[in-house]
Amino acid sequence: MPHNRIELPLTRYLDAEGRPLGPLPDWTEDGARLVGLYRAMLRTRLFDQKVIALQRTGRIGTYASSLGQEAIGTAIGTLLRDDDVLLPYYRDTASQLLRGVSMSEMLLYWGGDERGSAYAGPVARGDFPLCVPIATQALHACGVASAFKIRGEHRVALTTCGDGATSKGDFLEALNVAGAWQLPVVFVVNNNQWAISVPRRIQCGAPTLAQKAIGAGFAGEQVDGNDVIAVVERLRHAIDQARHGKGPTLLECITYRLCDHTTADDATRYRSAEEVNQAWHEEPVKRLQNFLVARGLWDETQEQALVAACQAELQQAIERYEALAAQDPLSVFEYVYASWPPALAEQREQFAERIARRTQGADHE
């Protein structure tokens, strides 16, 4: 029996070549703002490239790239206020950089060092660390938003996830409580078409992921996630709604994961080269660059200067990361329990003995 199809808006302002499809939002008259978006997106991409090179040479651990998805995080990072709270997932490099997480802190995190989540920046300290468990951050965001509502604060909790996370119970429970309590929370779904090796078309029977919000009693909509102007415009509206007591929004950003799921993955096993090549024609960085060049806001000289500045920043971050003394191995037991259960205390003691034996062995070599 055929089901009723729900028609939701899909917002797009630029085509794949960066040409306007119609009138643009008024704020796009601010050339400096547009250039700022581009600078943040390219900085994120260059960071990604360098980190993957570090992982391939064994200098950090497994890394989740955001290649092809930079517009989403850039929009988030530029729109949230300092006192809002970001609850990110593991593909939020752009938003974290804009919120003040340093490159060296990110390298620490992906290098397996917990100190990478002890953010020094005053804005970043108010945000949550990257969430690797799938969709749990959605419920955390509802808890944060509940506190804002109870206190009468005009603040917003924004949480992100991939398309695969929308099939998890945590995500659906979060939508339910957000709608029931009309919380000041925004859910941003990075629909990059692949949940590791599982394509979007077999993850969910609904025509869109955005319409999952409807059953929870609030608005859901789609946006071209490769068009940073569209993402900024619709996300701006969603954040404004939440801030002024008009409830949550689910924004499904349609994009594509141009990279492997992580550096531990090989996407060539399940994706065709033709599909990936086609997606490269839609990607967000070149699209915005074309738009800026056509408007006379960007040129090759500016491009090379930005690349050089980002590379210098990256090199300094790598040097700080690699110069930091190794973390105490026993710290893996910290910050889990308020009071230790006996079994954990015993494990810690055994681990300490192993470290001591290894240290003694190294001293005798």
Side-chain angles (χ1 to χ4, degrees):
M1 182 175 180
H3 62 277
N4 293 325
R5 299 184 68 88
I6 299 172
E7 297 297 330
L8 293 177
L10 170 63
T11 302
R12 177 185 294 119
Y13 289 103
L14 302 179
D15 68 11
E17 301 301 323
R19 295 179 296 247
L21 296 168
L24 300 177
D26 291 342
W27 61 264
T28 60
E29 294 301 316
D30 184 349
R33 185 173 181 182
L34 292 169
V35 168
L37 293 172
Y38 179 74
R39 294 177 68 89
M41 290 165 65
L42 185 59
R43 181 177 179 233
T44 301
R45 181 161 293 187
L46 293 171
F47 177 82
D48 258 9
Q49 291 173 357
K50 191 64 176 180
V51 177
I52 291 172
L54 292 173
Q55 191 279 332
R56 299 306 188 208
T57 54
R59 295 161 72 183
I60 65 161
T62 300
Y63 176 68
S65 171
S66 57
L67 183 64
Q69 302 143 88
E70 298 90 350
I72 301 168
T74 296
I76 292 169
T78 56
L79 289 172
L80 287 178
R81 290 194 327 204
D82 288 356
D83 64 342
D84 293 330
V85 174
L86 172 66
L87 297 96
Y89 85 128
Y90 49 80
R91 218 177 295 279
D92 274 319
T93 302
S95 54
Q96 284 201 304
L97 285 172
L98 287 165
R99 297 282 287 171
V101 179
S102 71
M103 289 183 175
S104 55
E105 287 170 337
M106 288 189 173
L107 292 172
L108 277 172
Y109 176 85
W110 293 108
D113 193 318
E114 291 293 335
R115 290 173 294 180
S117 295
Y119 309 133
V123 175
R125 277 202 301 268
D127 293 337
F128 278 45
L130 290 180
C131 190
V132 174
I134 306 301
T136 55
Q137 70 275 17
L139 281 167
H140 301 161
C142 290
V144 172
S146 296
F148 294 162
K149 185 166 185 176
I150 290 168
R151 296 170 183 167
E153 298 172 344
H154 296 291
R155 300 166 66 189
V156 175
L158 186 148
T159 188
T160 58
C161 68
D163 44 290
T166 67
S167 298
K168 295 284 289 184
D170 306 69
F171 180 81
L172 298 171
E173 291 165 13
L175 297 190
N176 186 67
V177 71
W181 295 351
Q182 287 294 286
L183 296 176
V185 60
V186 176
F187 301 92
V188 178
V189 176
N190 177 357
N191 181 359
N192 62 26
Q193 309 306 316
W194 288 91
I196 308 184
S197 59
V198 181
R200 159 67 183 92
R201 66 180 180 275
I202 63 173
Q203 290 177 45
C204 173
T208 73
L209 301 178
Q211 68 194 67
K212 294 188 177 190
I214 296 173
F218 61 91
E221 60 181 280
Q222 291 186 310
V223 62
D224 184 345
N226 293 325
D227 176 358
V228 71
I229 292 177
V231 182
V232 167
E233 178 65 12
R234 297 315 303 160
L235 185 58
R236 182 186 62 80
H237 175 74
I239 291 173
D240 187 67
Q241 291 284 103
R243 194 177 310 284
H244 294 94
K246 297 181 181 179
T249 300
L250 192 163
L251 194 66
E252 178 189 356
C253 300
I254 311 298
T255 182
Y256 192 86
R257 197 191 79 211
L258 293 170
C259 48
D260 296 327
H261 181 259
T262 69
T263 50
D265 175 44
D266 178 8
T268 61
R269 296 175 301 168
Y270 53 83
R271 297 194 309 199
S272 69
E274 292 77 14
E275 177 181 319
V276 178
N277 289 337
Q278 177 57 42
W280 270 106
H281 294 295
E282 303 281 334
E283 66 99 355
V285 175
K286 187 64 176 178
R287 185 183 301 198
L288 182 59
Q289 184 194 60
N290 288 343
F291 176 76
L292 294 177
V293 170
R295 281 198 165 190
L297 295 170
W298 198 251
D299 58 31
E300 185 60 24
T301 300
Q302 291 169 292
E303 181 81 6
Q304 293 306 314
L306 175 57
V307 170
C310 289
Q311 289 175 339
E313 181 187 13
L314 277 163
Q315 186 57 41
Q316 291 176 356
I318 293 167
E319 290 172 1
R320 286 194 297 270
Y321 159 64
E322 296 188 324
L324 190 64
Q327 191 175 19
D328 180 359
L330 286 173
S331 64
V332 298
F333 290 91
E334 303 293 342
Y335 319 118
V336 178
Y337 295 95
S339 58
W340 283 9
L344 188 62
E346 182 180 355
Q347 290 176 34
R348 187 182 190 279
E349 183 178 346
Q350 292 172 350
F351 188 48
E353 291 173 355
R354 289 181 61 188
I355 293 170
R357 287 196 299 270
R358 288 189 178 185
T359 302
Q360 291 170 1
D363 289 343
H364 292 138
E365 289 179 358

